[in-house]
Amino acid sequence: MNNRGHDSYHESRDIEGQLQPGVHKRFGGWLWIFLIGCILVGISDLIVCILSPTPINLTMVPVLTFLRVRVAVSLLRISPVALRDVKIFLVSMFVASAFNLLRASVLPAAEFNSDDLQNLRAIGVRGLLSTVIWALYFQRSRRVRDTFGANL
């Protein structure tokens, strides 16, 4: 056991003492939660979008679902482009969430019922908050830095 209290913690460093990306595979913790969330939220959003009587997000949901799957695969493979994929996904999610909030405030109430507009607002707020939280995690996480060799 080392000074951090983790039996499985092992850093792989090169001659200059720099962490070797892709060698130290400490995938777990919040990265797993992000990964599982990407998969479950992507699938549930796609199902809700398909089954909804008024498909408000018909174009955005499939694109975001594709990005979620791509992020999940690249994170699981500890790909060198994983952080780039995460950044693309988080920016896309932020833009889509902001767009949902904008649409909810501009859409005429006659076209959609109040429940749909409330749901659209809730989706927008949830998306903005989760995007900011995950961006901060990927920027500051030691596990991300140790696993991928850098932060977002």
Side-chain angles (χ1 to χ4, degrees):
M1 187 166 339
N2 61 20
N3 61 352
R4 289 183 45 145
H6 299 287
D7 292 327
S8 63
Y9 183 79
H10 173 67
E11 290 183 345
S12 299
R13 298 199 178 263
D14 62 11
I15 296 172
E16 292 87 28
Q18 298 295 321
L19 188 67
Q20 295 176 352
V23 175
H24 183 229
K25 296 175 170 75
R26 219 178 114 208
F27 197 89
W30 288 103
L31 279 173
W32 275 115
I33 292 173
F34 180 79
L35 177 76
I36 292 168
C38 274
I39 294 168
L40 293 178
V41 170
I43 291 170
S44 66
D45 281 353
L46 192 59
I47 290 171
V48 167
C49 179
I50 291 170
L51 298 178
S52 175
T54 56
I56 295 175
N57 291 325
L58 196 55
T59 56
M60 285 191 291
V61 170
V63 171
L64 289 175
T65 301
F66 169 76
L67 289 174
R68 281 184 174 100
V69 170
R70 179 165 171 84
V71 164
V73 169
S74 63
L75 285 175
L76 275 175
R77 294 180 60 212
I78 306 179
S79 169
V81 297
L83 292 180
R84 183 200 66 187
D85 290 345
V86 168
K87 188 182 290 187
I88 290 169
F89 167 69
L90 290 176
V91 167
S92 301
M93 187 68 185
F94 188 85
V95 169
S97 299
F99 183 68
N100 280 336
L101 282 175
L102 181 66
R103 281 196 328 176
S105 63
V106 183
L107 282 176
E111 290 184 33
F112 297 98
N113 63 35
S114 63
D115 289 339
D116 286 338
L117 292 176
Q118 287 296 331
N119 289 338
L120 196 56
R121 284 187 192 101
I123 290 169
V125 170
R126 182 191 72 183
L128 288 175
L129 288 176
S130 66
T131 301
V132 169
I133 290 168
W134 284 115
L136 289 172
Y137 169 74
F138 277 97
Q139 284 178 345
R140 298 169 192 233
S141 170
R142 175 180 230 158
R143 185 180 300 267
V144 170
R145 185 184 67 232
D146 290 349
T147 304
F148 298 101
N151 285 79
L152 191 62

